[in-house]
């Protein structure tokens, strides 16, 4: 619209008109024109042409003076500046979250007497009193029972600790849900489905606002440390996008253009994953594969930069004290063998099944929450889920600690110095060199003990995660999914290891596993399992493998990870095409036009367009015979978001398209500021209004808000093409003509409804425009 | 325009926090913040042990850290091969500052929440502002910039109050969308 206008502005006629009496107020655009209302879809084409226009203006101005030149250079650099700021802020916030979570998680069990702000590990960091047997105990760190009663052992102390653990968990989750409810309701959930929708061109005002940022950061810490089965990774993407939106408002280039803003947000999402997993490249790929809709190369480079800065910032905060960006960073050096691909693929199958089960069950539960009485008690729901989680989690040492720590332990290979139960193997007394490759050993009682505890933990995690994802506090899905996979993987890994140890003579183990060799790494199985389960739930492939690869830092494990990721995607796709995020988008009825769906039905534009056969005719404006009053009635009586403008009602030849919002604002503005505009004034969309006798009321000229290049198709265009046009160009609406005459209109919502109908779903589930 | 200024202030605050963090980090390497930890497993008749002292990265090996050496001279090499020494750094000040800032933010939010829930309704019983939103038309017009004109509110206090009222309306609307109508995020 503005582009067309930018071209026509310097023409002599316009100059003459501008100097005339008609339309002085329109020379400076009034506020809010070209913006969108809440829950509306943006028009990518219009945004793009507006940016091109703005850019052209700046370039032409920059030749005028040095100051303008500097301004244009600043403008060109502002994208990188925004990225730098996003990286710094999201890295810092991720560090704060990590540190605070570390501390608060341990607060459930005890407190550091020497300095209350230390977590258990930090408290005993410098202590010389740790012993080899009890290496995480030190006198400075006291459990609550020890502090209150002085006893460390016994049923009384256990019960008191148990009780306080539940109490703290309840307190944290209650605080989280009240803060969310009072200050920023949009801060709940994982945020990725909504961000996907926003990036595809939807407006949710306040979703990326400052309060959402603050509350999401604060409550995320509370939610994670309450011990619920949720992770911080998804919400961190939301937090990073909030940072992106915040810094967008500093530069008019981004704050005034919804399309450009989305480029920044795509890059911010990359920064979010970069700090969540310590995987900058994985973050960029995640943004590309999973979240973004429109991802030009320029955004790729910028995301790369933002992810880099974010990772660097987090690294300099060093929240885990291990010079790594995540708690569960591992380093293996042992090779894997061809035969191991079989268990890896089996883990992939498990991951796919888990993904399918989780999506089905979680969506069913969320639908129940959405439609029944259950949704009326969000606070109570959170409290109940927390109580159940805490009561069931405490007795099992593998669920009591934070999920990240659990994953970290499952990923780790058993060295000679590991003290955990999982590494309780029977050592050969003659073994003398506990270097990296310890030969396979028979499992000790601790490992068998750990096995059934892990099995219980697996069942518990599977069930509770289904009910946790979607409650009204910030909750991510990555960590619980990875935990499920890691537990399953570790169990399989130990099983394979013991099988190989006890049956050296079996034909499959003969070449691969000689006695005294280190042939199976259970930690690697845990990692493959985690990748498979995450892949089954989210249906990521490339970015998932890259994230996992960045976590291990070993190139040789790419093939197992790829095998598992692909298998889990195949298996999960067999049960349902959509990943968890798409399913939630569908459940909420967001207007998200998936680029990956294929549309293969043989319908035509004329079947989809409005008005339908028996509907009243299309509401149109004429270019020079509608009065202000007519327009106002039309706006009042209909709820359409835009109106086609035609030459006259008889000929119905199309001139352009005008947005309802712009029309409302223009008329309101003209009524206030322009003298002589009354209800009977005629609205002109032509280039110049005819000279009218003085008795007639002053005309209102609105060519400025008219989009002269609306997208049109003919009525016999196949819907396949129309859907493609909507997807690729990001249209908001498209007009349908037959031999130049306007027939109807297809909006994005119509397309979505049509697609839903074709897939035998309820078309009314698409809720927004 | 006030929105713009707010954003700048927020950004500035963020950058300051960032700088503060780095500053804290830079001066932080006090005696508590480095350690060299050696874990030595059981060897012959000697039980396993953990050594934890504060040395430079260069000296972080079994020979320097394990003191007194539990084995006779000719066994030192074998014993030290078993030990695993790790040099680690942390920043205790960053942890302290972060936790304290976090707690004060939570505290401030709780206080503000209590204020909003308990004190505020008492003060503005007769305020025309608190008229709940009756018609949808009105609530749709509550976009931040639409009525943020300089005309409203002469003093700073009034302007702050106006902004607060607008924000409250927005949150109320969000609450309706998420918790009552279940349109989003369910």
């Amino acid at each position: 619209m503005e582009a067309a206008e930018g071209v026509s502005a310097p023409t002599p006629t316009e100059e003459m008109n501008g100097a005339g009496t008609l339309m002085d107020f329109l020379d400076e655009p009034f506020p809010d024109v070209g913006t969108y209302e809440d829950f509306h879809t943006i028009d990518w084409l219009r945004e793009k042409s507006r940016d091109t226009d703005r850019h052209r203006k700046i370039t032409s101005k920059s030749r005028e003076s040095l100051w303008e030149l500097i301004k244009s250079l600043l403008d060109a650099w502002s994208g990188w500046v925004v990225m730098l700021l996003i990286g710094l802020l999201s890295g810092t916030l991720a560090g704060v979250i990590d540190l605070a979570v570390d501390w608060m998680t341990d607060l459930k069990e005890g407190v550091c007497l020497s300095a209350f702000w230390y977590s258990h590990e930090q408290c005993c960091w410098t202590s010389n009193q740790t012993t080899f047997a009890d290496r995480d105990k030190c006198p400075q760190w006291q459990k609550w029972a020890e502090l209150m009663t002085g006893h460390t052992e016994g049923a009384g102390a256990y019960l008191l600790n148990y009780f306080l653990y539940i109490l703290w968990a309840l307190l944290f989750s209650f605080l989280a849900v009240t803060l969310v409810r009072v200050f920023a309701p949009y801060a709940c959930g994982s945020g990725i489905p909504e961000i996907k929708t926003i990036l595809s061109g939807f407006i949710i005002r306040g979703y990326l606002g400052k309060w959402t940022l603050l509350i999401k950061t604060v409550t995320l810490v509370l939610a994670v440390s309450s011990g619920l089965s949720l992770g911080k990774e998804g919400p961190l993407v939301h937090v990073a996008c909030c940072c992106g939106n915040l810094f967008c408002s500093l530069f008019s280039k981004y704050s005034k253009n919804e399309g450009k803003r989305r480029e920044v947000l795509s890059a911010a999402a990359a920064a979010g994953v970069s700090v969540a997993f310590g995987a900058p490249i994985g973050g960029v790929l995640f943004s590309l594969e999973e979240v973004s809709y429109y991802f030009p190369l320029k955004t790729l480079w910028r995301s790369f930069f933002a992810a880099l800065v974010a990772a660097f910032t987090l690294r300099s905060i060093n929240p885990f004290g291990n010079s790594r960006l995540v708690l569960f960073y591992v380093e293996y050096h042992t090779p894997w063998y061809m035969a191991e691909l079989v268990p890896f693929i089996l883990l992939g199958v498990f991951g796919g099944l888990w993904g399918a089960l989780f999506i089905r069950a979680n969506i069913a539960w969320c639908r129940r929450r959405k439609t029944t009485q259950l949704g009326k008690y969000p606070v109570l729901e959170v409290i109940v889920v927390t109580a159940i989680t805490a009561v069931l989690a405490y007795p099992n040492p593998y669920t009591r600690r934070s999920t990240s720590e659990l994953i970290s332990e499952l990923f780790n290979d058993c060295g000679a110095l590991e003290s955990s139960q999982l590494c309780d193997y029977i050592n050969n007394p003659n073994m003398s060199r506990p270097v990296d490759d310890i030969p396979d050993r028979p499992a000790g009682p601790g490992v068998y003990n750990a096995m059934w505890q892990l099995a219980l933990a697996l069942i518990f995690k599977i069930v509770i995660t289904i009910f946790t994802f979607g409650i009204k506090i910030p909750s991510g899905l990555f960590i619980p999914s990875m935990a499920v996979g890691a537990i399953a993987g570790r169990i399989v890994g130990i099983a394979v290891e013991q099988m190989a140890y006890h049956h050296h003579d079996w034909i499959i183990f003969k070449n691969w596993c000689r006695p005294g060799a280190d042939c199976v790494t259970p930690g690697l199985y845990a990692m493959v399992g985690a990748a498979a389960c995450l892949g089954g739930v989210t249906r990521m492939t490339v970015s998932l493998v890259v994230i996992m690869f960045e976590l291990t830092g070993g190139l040789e494990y790419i093939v197992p990870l790829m095998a598992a990721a692909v298998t889990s995607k195949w298996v999960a796709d067999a049960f349902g095409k959509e990943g968890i995020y798409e399913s939630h988008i569908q459940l909420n009825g967001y207007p998200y036009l998936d680029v990956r769906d294929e549309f293969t039905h043989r319908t035509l534009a004329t079947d989809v367009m409005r008005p339908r056969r028996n509907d009243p005719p299309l509401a149109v404006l004429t270019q020079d015979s509608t009065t202000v009053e007519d327009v106002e009635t039309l706006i009042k009586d209909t709820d359409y978001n835009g109106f086609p403008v035609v030459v006259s009602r008889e000929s119905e030849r199309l001139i352009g398209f005008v947005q309802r919002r712009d029309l409302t604002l223009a008329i309101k503005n003209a009524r206030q500021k322009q003298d002589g505009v009354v209800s009977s004034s005629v609205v002109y969309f032509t280039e110049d209004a005819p000279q009218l006798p003085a008795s007639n009321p002053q005309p209102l000229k609105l060519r400025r808000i008219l989009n002269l290049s609306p997208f049109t198709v003919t009525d016999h265009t196949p819907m396949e093409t129309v859907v493609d046009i909507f997807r690729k160009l990001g249209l908001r609406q498209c007009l349908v003509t037959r031999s130049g005459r306007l027939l109807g209109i297809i909006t994005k919502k119509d397309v979505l409804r049509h697609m839903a109908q074709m897939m035998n779903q309820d078309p009314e589930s698409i809720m927004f425009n | 325009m006030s929105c713009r200024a707010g954003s700048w202030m927020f950004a500035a605050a963020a950058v300051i926090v960032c700088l503060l963090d780095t500053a804290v980090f830079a001066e932080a390497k006090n005696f508590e913040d480095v350690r060299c930890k050696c874990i030595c497993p059981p060897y012959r008749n000697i039980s396993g042990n953990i050594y934890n002292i504060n040395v430079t990265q260069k000296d972080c090996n079994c020979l320097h850290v394990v003191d007194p050496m539990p084995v006779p001279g000719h066994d030192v090499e074998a014993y030290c091969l078993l030990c695993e020494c790790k040099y680690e750094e942390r920043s205790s000040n960053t942890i302290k500052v972060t936790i304290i800032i976090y707690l004060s933010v939570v505290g401030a939010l709780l206080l503000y929440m209590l204020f909003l829930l308990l004190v505020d309704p008492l003060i503005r019983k007769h305020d025309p502002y608190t008229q709940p939103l009756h018609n949808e038309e009105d609530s749709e017009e509550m976009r931040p910039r639409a009525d943020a004109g300089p005309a409203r509110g002469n003093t700073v206090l009034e302007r702050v109050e106006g902004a607060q009222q607008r924000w409250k309306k927005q949150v109320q609307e969000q609450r309706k969308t998420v918790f009552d109508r279940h349109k989003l995020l369910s």
Side-chain angles (χ1 to χ4, degrees), chain B residues 5 24 30 43 56 73 85-86 174 177:
Chain B
V24 163
N30 55 18
Y43 177 72
T56 56
C85 289
K86 230 195 258 167
Q174 287 184 13
T177 323

Side-chain angles (χ1 to χ4, degrees), chain B residues 53-79:
Chain B
I53 61 165
N54 173 17
V55 290
T56 56
Q57 185 157 17
K58 180 166 101 265
D59 289 339
C60 186
N61 54 38
C62 169
L63 292 174
H64 284 88
V65 175
V66 179
D67 186 44
M69 195 58 85
V71 289
H74 62 272
D75 252 4
V76 166
E77 204 172 332
Y79 184 70

Side-chain angles (χ1 to χ4, degrees), chain A residues 647-667:
Chain A
V647 174
S648 67
R649 285 191 192 279
E650 292 75 47
S651 76
E652 288 197 321
R653 273 189 298 144
L654 185 67
I655 302 277
F657 192 83
V658 61
Q659 302 283 344
R660 174 200 182 91
R661 184 180 164 81
D662 291 352
L663 200 58
T664 324
L665 286 166
I667 289 178

Side-chain angles (χ1 to χ4, degrees), chain A residues 467-540:
Chain A
F467 295 101
T468 307
F469 188 65
I471 56 175
K472 294 281 181 266
I473 49 176
S475 56
L477 183 68
F478 284 19
I479 287 285
S481 286
M482 284 174 76
V484 167
I487 295 173
R490 188 81 188 203
I491 293 175
V492 172
I494 290 177
V496 172
E497 182 192 47
Q498 293 306 312
M499 217 148 68
Y501 178 80
H502 290 293
H503 305 280
H504 285 301
D505 45 345
W506 284 14
I507 204 150
I508 37 167
F509 295 128
K510 226 169 199 170
N511 306 333
W512 157 28
C513 208
R514 275 183 304 278
D518 174 26
C519 33
V520 181
T521 318
L524 176 62
Y525 283 70
M527 171 149 269
V528 170
C533 283
L534 193 50
V537 171
T538 59
R539 308 293 159 83
M540 300 191 288

Side-chain angles (χ1 to χ4, degrees), chain A residues 92 117-118 122 125 127-128 132 181-182 211 218 221 246 249 370 375 417 434 472 588 590 767-768, chain B residues 4 7 10 18 25 32 35 48 52 82 84 90 92 96 102 167 171 174-175 182-186:
Chain A
T92 312
W117 54 84
Y118 281 156
Q122 299 296 337
W125 207 73
S127 172
N128 282 323
F132 187 75
R181 204 186 147 87
V182 171
W211 273 96
V218 169
V221 173
L246 175 76
S249 57
K370 195 181 169 84
L417 305 171
K472 294 281 181 266
N588 283 309
Y590 298 141
M767 289 173 39
F768 300 104
Chain B
R4 211 41 202 280
S7 301
F10 201 95
C18 248
F25 188 71
E32 269 199 325
R35 71 169 178 189
N52 193 357
L82 297 173
E84 193 178 89
R90 69 165 177 185
S92 50
K96 184 163 126 190
Y102 178 76
W167 168 73
V171 175
Q174 287 184 13
R175 216 173 294 146
H182 297 284
K183 265 168 92 180
L184 288 180
L185 287 160
S186 45

Side-chain angles (χ1 to χ4, degrees), chain A residues 32 39 89 92 96 99 103-104 117-118 122 125-128 131-132 135 175 181-183 185-186 188 194 205 207 210-211 218 221-222 246-247 249-250 316-318 370 375 378 417 432 434 472 584 587-588 590 661 767-768, chain B residues 4 7-8 10-11 14 18 21 25 32-35 39-42 48-50 52 82 84 88-90 92 95-96 98-99 102-103 105-106 109-110 112-113 116 140 143 167 171 174-175 177-179 182-186:
Chain A
D32 282 347
F39 304 129
L89 186 59
T92 312
V96 168
L99 285 172
W103 176 67
M104 283 186 103
W117 54 84
Y118 281 156
Q122 299 296 337
W125 207 73
T126 46
S127 172
N128 282 323
T131 58
F132 187 75
R135 61 182 73 171
L175 273 183
R181 204 186 147 87
V182 171
F183 291 115
Y186 281 172
C188 64
E194 284 74 25
R205 270 181 212 290
Y207 194 75
K210 292 175 209 108
W211 273 96
V218 169
V221 173
L222 290 166
L246 175 76
F247 292 122
S249 57
L250 303 184
S316 66
I317 294 176
N318 192 12
K370 195 181 169 84
L417 305 171
S432 56
K472 294 281 181 266
H584 270 268
L587 174 72
N588 283 309
Y590 298 141
R661 184 180 164 81
M767 289 173 39
F768 300 104
Chain B
R4 211 41 202 280
S7 301
W8 273 111
F10 201 95
C18 248
D21 246 22
F25 188 71
E32 269 199 325
D33 283 352
V34 289
R35 71 169 178 189
I39 306 177
C40 297
N49 223 333
I50 293 183
N52 193 357
L82 297 173
E84 193 178 89
E88 285 174 312
E89 278 179 31
R90 69 165 177 185
S92 50
I95 297 174
K96 184 163 126 190
T98 309
I99 298 294
Y102 178 76
L103 284 181
V105 170
V106 173
L109 282 173
L110 287 179
Y112 188 43
M113 184 167 80
L116 284 183
E140 271 178 19
R143 285 159 291 99
W167 168 73
V171 175
Q174 287 184 13
R175 216 173 294 146
T177 323
V178 176
F179 288 103
H182 297 284
K183 265 168 92 180
L184 288 180
L185 287 160
S186 45

